[in-house]
Amino acid sequence: MVAALYSVSAVRIVNGERANLLRFHSTADLTEVPGLLAAYAADFAARDDVLVDMASTPAA
């Protein structure tokens, strides 16, 4: 498996643009990502102005 850095973020959207970073977490452990996504989704479920996003970057 290729080493990577995974990040999960919650961003407030205003007028279709990313406005504020509300929460961010990064990890090199892919097994943490599903739990992070579930926690973020639960925490921000009532907000229609928040985008929960995930990204990955190859580790150096």
Side-chain angles (χ1 to χ4, degrees):
M1 183 193 296
V2 175
L5 183 63
Y6 306 96
S7 62
V8 177
S9 60
V11 181
R12 183 170 167 254
I13 304 296
V14 176
N15 296 324
E17 300 290 328
R18 294 171 181 250
N20 305 91
L21 178 63
L22 303 173
R23 190 181 301 166
F24 177 85
H25 185 91
S26 63
T27 182
D29 184 356
L30 181 58
T31 63
E32 289 183 29
V33 173
L36 289 168
L37 288 170
Y40 277 48
D43 291 348
F44 295 102
R47 297 194 51 182
D48 63 358
D49 63 336
V50 174
L51 169 70
V52 174
D53 194 18
M54 184 221 159
S56 63
T57 304

